[in-house]
Amino acid sequence: MTDTILVTGASGNLGRATLAALHARGVAATGGSRTPGAGMRRVDFDDRSTLELTGVATLVLVSAGYAEDDEVVERHANVVAAAARGGVQHLVYTSLTSAGDHLAFASAHRATERLVRASGVPWTILRNGLYAELFGALLMWAGDGVESAYGDGALAAVTRADLAEAAAIVAADPARHAGRTYDLVGTPITAAQVADRLGVPHRTIGLGELRRRLLGLPELLPFQPPMIASIATGVRHGFLAEPGPDLADLLGRPVQDPVTMAVAAASATRPAVAGQPQAVLRP
């Protein structure tokens, strides 16, 4: 099977949106996934027999970040090695914003960036900011309003759709972006802004209280509470608030309003029973 562009993680939100953005631009592309849907090919980072990439011109490597760091880096190393072995002409990797270096999940991204740069395959790194959808989903409904450990801090949040379109733009003409690292952050938003749009109050809780609640959620995997808590402290103390021009420059238009998407995500988690707390969603 020969693909001009292959997008990994195409059963996930970002991969699916990137594939759709490519198709909307009239660009031939195929999705790869561990659980492929119609028209996709099986690409399992843990099964090297599925990583035959001969014939792939451009590989969009959507981070497989939903695991412990050592597992993530090993999976990414398998794919990067397969790209070099298979003659892939360009590798686009979706990484983490530069401002996120202190976050609990940054190390796997930076280690993967090193692998990509050392691979011998021409590359572009997209350092994606945190999703507006995630910001909203991590607000916790309680009583007549929402609670968070964000305090008055802001996040330069981005919509998943904007990041997908940026990835599609780069993948459609990769030579133009060779050797570039883009920092794709958006417009700073606060929990109070989201709550105001929802028409409810926002109450700040302490980071210790947040961690206690997270540790009490049996559905979270061991690595997830530190990840979520690190996002909260990063927002609360202003480490993730700085906007930047790269995303709008790539898109050739203003970025989408992140508050709208954060509100939609928070609304989707609103409990049906008034006063019933809602469990924190997975990022």
Side-chain angles (χ1 to χ4, degrees):
M1 185 176 186
T2 299
D3 301 300
T4 303
I5 299 172
L6 177 64
V7 180
T8 72
S11 294
N13 290 322
L14 181 60
R16 184 186 302 114
T18 299
L19 191 60
L22 283 162
H23 290 163
R25 300 174 70 84
V27 178
T30 299
S33 173
R34 176 179 293 183
T35 54
M40 296 184 190
R41 56 187 283 184
R42 183 167 179 262
V43 176
D44 184 343
F45 294 174
D46 293 321
D47 182 354
R48 297 185 187 187
S49 69
T50 71
L51 300 179
E52 173 50 61
L53 301 180
T54 301
V56 174
T58 300
L59 177 68
V60 181
L61 173 54
V62 176
S63 170
Y66 197 63
E68 296 285 357
D69 283 354
D70 55 344
E71 296 176 72
V72 172
V73 175
E74 182 177 0
R75 289 169 178 170
H76 289 172
N78 289 341
V79 183
V80 172
R85 187 170 60 247
V88 170
Q89 298 168 28
H90 200 101
L91 199 164
V92 181
Y93 174 58
T94 63
S95 189
L96 174 69
T97 173
S98 301
D101 274 347
H102 62 288
L103 294 175
F105 47 98
S107 295
H109 285 290
R110 300 299 177 247
T112 302
E113 289 182 10
R114 289 203 302 264
L115 292 172
V116 169
R117 292 189 177 102
S119 68
V121 179
W123 54 267
T124 305
I125 292 171
L126 306 178
R127 287 188 164 181
N128 289 349
L130 299 185
Y131 300 149
E133 293 90 337
L134 175 61
F135 186 84
L138 290 178
L139 294 174
M140 295 167 285
W141 289 92
D144 62 346
V146 291
E147 298 178 339
S148 81
Y150 295 147
D152 296 326
L155 171 68
V158 282
T159 67
R160 188 180 287 113
D162 275 353
L163 292 176
E165 185 176 342
I169 288 168
V170 171
D173 188 11
R176 183 178 174 188
H177 306 281
R180 297 288 302 274
T181 297
Y182 293 106
D183 218 342
L184 304 182
V185 295
T187 304
I189 64 172
T190 66
Q193 286 177 290
V194 178
D196 184 65
R197 189 83 65 88
L198 287 164
V200 301
H202 168 254
R203 291 181 289 271
T204 295
I205 63 172
L207 291 162
E209 172 61 16
L210 172 64
R211 193 177 296 272
R212 185 191 66 76
R213 294 185 190 184
L214 295 173
L215 292 174
L217 295 174
E219 65 268 29
L220 293 185
L221 297 171
F223 66 89
Q224 291 180 293
M227 288 176 61
I228 297 170
S230 73
I231 292 171
T233 191
V235 172
R236 187 181 186 116
H237 297 109
F239 290 108
L240 298 167
E242 188 67 29
D246 285 359
L247 182 55
D249 288 349
L250 265 181
L251 297 175
R253 60 166 174 78
V255 299
Q256 295 183 42
D257 174 24
V259 176
T260 298
M261 296 308 300
V263 167
S267 296
T269 70
R270 193 169 195 161
V273 179
Q276 176 182 322
Q278 178 71 21
V280 176
L281 298 186
R282 294 181 179 183

